[in-house]
Coordinates of all heavy atoms in Angstrom, one line a residue:
D1 N 150.9 172.2 220.9 CA 150.8 170.9 221.6 C 150.6 171.1 223.1 O 149.7 170.4 223.7 CB 152.1 170.1 221.3 CG 152.2 169.7 219.9 OD1 151.2 169.6 219.2 OD2 153.3 169.4 219.5
L2 N 151.3 172.1 223.7 CA 151.1 172.3 225.1 C 149.7 172.9 225.4 O 149.1 172.5 226.4 CB 152.2 173.2 225.6 CG 153.6 172.7 225.4 CD1 154.6 173.7 226.1 CD2 153.8 171.3 225.9
Q3 N 149.2 173.8 224.5 CA 147.9 174.3 224.7 C 146.8 173.2 224.6 O 145.8 173.2 225.3 CB 147.6 175.4 223.7 CG 148.4 176.7 223.9 CD 148.1 177.7 222.8 OE1 147.8 177.4 221.7 NE2 148.4 179.0 223.2
S4 N 147.1 172.2 223.8 CA 146.1 171.1 223.7 C 146.0 170.3 225.0 O 144.9 169.9 225.4 CB 146.6 170.2 222.5 OG 145.7 169.1 222.4
V5 N 147.2 170.1 225.7 CA 147.1 169.4 227.0 C 146.3 170.2 228.0 O 145.5 169.7 228.7 CB 148.6 169.2 227.5 CG1 148.6 168.5 228.8 CG2 149.3 168.3 226.5
L6 N 146.6 171.5 228.0 CA 145.9 172.3 229.0 C 144.4 172.5 228.6 O 143.5 172.6 229.6 CB 146.5 173.7 229.0 CG 148.0 173.7 229.5 CD1 148.6 175.1 229.3 CD2 148.1 173.3 230.9
S7 N 144.0 172.4 227.4 CA 142.6 172.4 227.0 C 141.9 171.2 227.5 O 140.7 171.2 227.9 CB 142.5 172.6 225.5 OG 143.0 173.8 225.0
T8 N 142.6 170.0 227.4 CA 142.0 168.8 227.9 C 141.8 168.9 229.4 O 140.8 168.5 230.0 CB 143.0 167.6 227.6 OG1 143.1 167.5 226.2 CG2 142.4 166.3 228.2
L9 N 142.8 169.5 230.1 CA 142.6 169.7 231.6 C 141.5 170.6 231.9 O 140.7 170.4 232.9 CB 144.0 170.3 232.1 CG 144.2 170.1 233.6 CD1 144.3 168.7 234.0 CD2 145.5 170.8 234.0
R10 N 141.3 171.7 231.1 CA 140.2 172.6 231.4 C 138.8 171.9 231.1 O 137.9 172.0 232.0 CB 140.3 173.8 230.5 CG 139.2 174.8 230.6 CD 139.3 175.8 229.5 NE 139.1 175.2 228.2 CZ 139.4 175.7 227.0 NH1 139.9 177.0 227.0 NH2 139.3 175.0 225.9
D11 N 138.7 171.2 230.1 CA 137.4 170.5 229.8 C 137.1 169.5 230.8 O 135.9 169.3 231.2 CB 137.5 169.8 228.4 CG 137.6 170.8 227.3 OD1 137.3 172.0 227.5 OD2 138.1 170.4 226.2
A12 N 138.1 168.8 231.4 CA 137.8 167.8 232.4 C 137.4 168.5 233.7 O 136.5 168.0 234.4 CB 139.1 167.0 232.7
Q13 N 137.9 169.7 234.0 CA 137.5 170.4 235.2 C 136.0 170.9 235.1 O 135.2 170.7 236.0 CB 138.4 171.6 235.4 CG 139.8 171.3 235.8 CD 140.0 171.2 237.3 OE1 139.1 170.7 238.0 NE2 141.2 171.6 237.8
L14 N 135.7 171.4 233.9 CA 134.3 171.9 233.7 C 133.3 170.8 233.7 O 132.2 170.9 234.2 CB 134.2 172.7 232.4 CG 135.1 174.0 232.4 CD1 135.0 174.6 231.0 CD2 134.5 175.0 233.4
R15 N 133.7 169.6 233.2 CA 132.8 168.4 233.1 C 132.9 167.5 234.3 O 132.1 166.6 234.4 CB 133.0 167.7 231.8 CG 132.7 168.4 230.6 CD 133.4 167.9 229.3 NE 133.4 166.5 229.2 CZ 134.0 165.8 228.2 NH1 134.8 166.5 227.4 NH2 133.9 164.5 228.1
K16 N 133.9 167.7 235.1 CA 134.2 166.9 236.3 C 134.4 165.4 235.9 O 133.8 164.5 236.4 CB 133.1 167.0 237.3 CG 133.0 168.4 238.0 CD 132.0 168.5 239.1 CE 132.0 169.8 239.7 NZ 131.0 169.9 240.8
D17 N 135.2 165.3 234.9 CA 135.5 164.0 234.3 C 136.9 163.6 234.8 O 138.0 164.1 234.3 CB 135.5 164.0 232.8 CG 135.7 162.6 232.1 OD1 136.2 161.7 232.8 OD2 135.3 162.5 231.0
I18 N 137.0 162.7 235.8 CA 138.3 162.4 236.5 C 139.2 161.6 235.5 O 140.4 161.7 235.6 CB 138.0 161.6 237.8 CG1 139.3 161.6 238.6 CG2 137.5 160.3 237.5 CD1 139.9 162.9 239.0
V19 N 138.6 160.7 234.7 CA 139.4 160.0 233.7 C 140.1 160.9 232.7 O 141.3 160.8 232.5 CB 138.6 158.9 233.0 CG1 139.4 158.1 232.0 CG2 138.0 157.9 234.0
L20 N 139.3 161.8 232.2 CA 139.9 162.8 231.2 C 140.9 163.7 231.9 O 142.0 164.0 231.3 CB 138.8 163.6 230.6 CG 139.2 164.6 229.5 CD1 139.8 163.9 228.3 CD2 138.0 165.5 229.1
F21 N 140.6 164.0 233.2 CA 141.5 164.9 233.9 C 142.9 164.2 234.1 O 143.9 164.8 233.9 CB 140.9 165.2 235.3 CG 141.7 166.1 236.1 CD1 141.7 167.5 236.0 CD2 142.5 165.6 237.1 CE1 142.4 168.3 236.8 CE2 143.3 166.4 237.9 CZ 143.3 167.8 237.8
M22 N 142.9 162.9 234.5 CA 144.2 162.3 234.8 C 144.9 161.9 233.5 O 146.1 161.7 233.6 CB 143.9 161.0 235.6 CG 143.2 161.2 237.0 SD 144.1 162.4 238.0 CE 145.7 161.6 238.2
S23 N 144.2 161.9 232.4 CA 145.0 161.6 231.1 C 145.9 162.7 230.7 O 146.8 162.5 229.9 CB 143.9 161.4 230.0 OG 143.3 162.6 229.7
A24 N 145.8 163.9 231.3 CA 146.7 165.0 231.0 C 148.0 164.9 231.8 O 148.9 165.7 231.6 CB 146.0 166.3 231.3
Y25 N 148.0 164.0 232.8 CA 149.2 163.9 233.7 C 150.0 162.7 233.3 O 149.5 161.6 232.9 CB 148.8 163.8 235.1 CG 148.3 165.2 235.7 CD1 146.9 165.5 235.6 CD2 149.1 166.1 236.3 CE1 146.5 166.7 236.0 CE2 148.7 167.3 236.8 CZ 147.3 167.6 236.6 OH 146.9 168.8 237.1
S26 N 151.3 162.8 233.5 CA 152.3 161.7 233.2 C 152.1 160.6 234.3 O 151.7 160.9 235.4 CB 153.7 162.2 233.2 OG 154.6 161.1 233.2
L27 N 152.4 159.4 233.9 CA 152.3 158.3 234.9 C 153.4 158.4 236.0 O 153.3 157.8 237.0 CB 152.5 156.9 234.2 CG 151.4 156.6 233.1 CD1 151.7 155.3 232.5 CD2 150.0 156.5 233.8
T28 N 154.4 159.2 235.7 CA 155.5 159.5 236.7 C 155.3 160.8 237.4 O 156.2 161.3 238.1 CB 156.8 159.5 236.0 OG1 156.9 160.5 235.0 CG2 157.1 158.1 235.3
F29 N 154.1 161.4 237.3 CA 153.8 162.6 238.0 C 153.9 162.4 239.6 O 153.3 161.4 240.1 CB 152.4 163.2 237.7 CG 152.1 164.5 238.3 CD1 152.5 165.7 237.7 CD2 151.4 164.5 239.5 CE1 152.2 166.9 238.3 CE2 151.1 165.8 240.1 CZ 151.5 166.9 239.5
P30 N 154.6 163.2 240.3 CA 154.8 163.0 241.8 C 153.4 163.1 242.5 O 152.7 164.0 242.3 CB 155.7 164.1 242.2 CG 156.4 164.6 241.0 CD 155.5 164.4 239.9
G31 N 153.1 162.1 243.3 CA 151.8 162.1 244.0 C 150.6 162.0 243.1 O 149.7 162.7 243.3
L32 N 150.7 161.1 242.1 CA 149.6 161.0 241.2 C 148.3 160.6 241.8 O 147.2 161.2 241.5 CB 150.0 160.0 240.0 CG 149.0 159.9 238.9 CD1 149.0 161.2 238.1 CD2 149.5 158.8 237.9
D33 N 148.3 159.6 242.7 CA 147.1 159.1 243.4 C 146.6 160.2 244.3 O 145.3 160.4 244.4 CB 147.4 157.9 244.2 CG 147.7 156.7 243.3 OD1 147.3 156.7 242.1 OD2 148.4 155.8 243.7
D34 N 147.4 161.0 245.0 CA 147.0 162.0 245.9 C 146.3 163.1 245.0 O 145.4 163.8 245.5 CB 148.2 162.6 246.6 CG 147.8 163.6 247.7 OD1 146.8 163.3 248.4 OD2 148.5 164.6 247.8
K35 N 146.9 163.4 243.8 CA 146.3 164.4 242.9 C 144.9 164.0 242.6 O 143.9 164.9 242.5 CB 147.2 164.5 241.7 CG 146.7 165.6 240.7 CD 146.9 167.0 241.3 CE 146.6 168.1 240.3 NZ 146.8 169.4 240.8
R36 N 144.6 162.7 242.3 CA 143.3 162.3 241.9 C 142.3 162.5 243.1 O 141.2 162.9 242.9 CB 143.4 160.8 241.5 CG 142.0 160.2 241.1 CD 142.1 158.7 241.1 NE 143.2 158.2 240.2 CZ 142.9 157.9 238.9 NH1 141.7 158.0 238.5 NH2 143.9 157.4 238.2
A37 N 142.8 162.1 244.3 CA 141.9 162.2 245.4 C 141.5 163.6 245.8 O 140.3 164.0 246.0 CB 142.5 161.5 246.6
K38 N 142.5 164.6 245.7 CA 142.2 166.0 246.1 C 141.3 166.6 245.0 O 140.4 167.4 245.4 CB 143.5 166.7 246.1 CG 144.4 166.4 247.4 CD 145.6 167.3 247.4 CE 146.4 167.0 248.7 NZ 147.6 167.8 248.8
T39 N 141.5 166.2 243.8 CA 140.6 166.8 242.7 C 139.2 166.4 242.9 O 138.2 167.2 242.8 CB 141.2 166.4 241.3 OG1 142.5 166.9 241.2 CG2 140.3 167.0 240.2

């Protein structure tokens, strides 16, 4: 299950898909909006 989350994160980085990238993070992740902007 954890490898599946990280695979989603890797595919989003390679495709530069910000929606798919943010779906791997919890809504309570600290600095969620800042993470989106930096990525």
Side-chain angles (χ1 to χ4, degrees):
D1 293 339
L2 302 186
Q3 287 176 340
S4 177
V5 178
L6 299 174
S7 296
T8 300
L9 200 62
R10 178 191 61 195
D11 295 342
Q13 293 270 34
L14 294 174
R15 294 157 49 184
K16 295 185 178 180
D17 187 340
I18 192 63
V19 175
L20 183 62
F21 181 84
M22 298 307 298
S23 68
Y25 288 88
S26 169
L27 297 177
T28 59
F29 183 85
L32 186 64
D33 294 336
D34 188 43
K35 183 70 174 178
R36 180 195 301 268
K38 287 184 178 180
T39 300

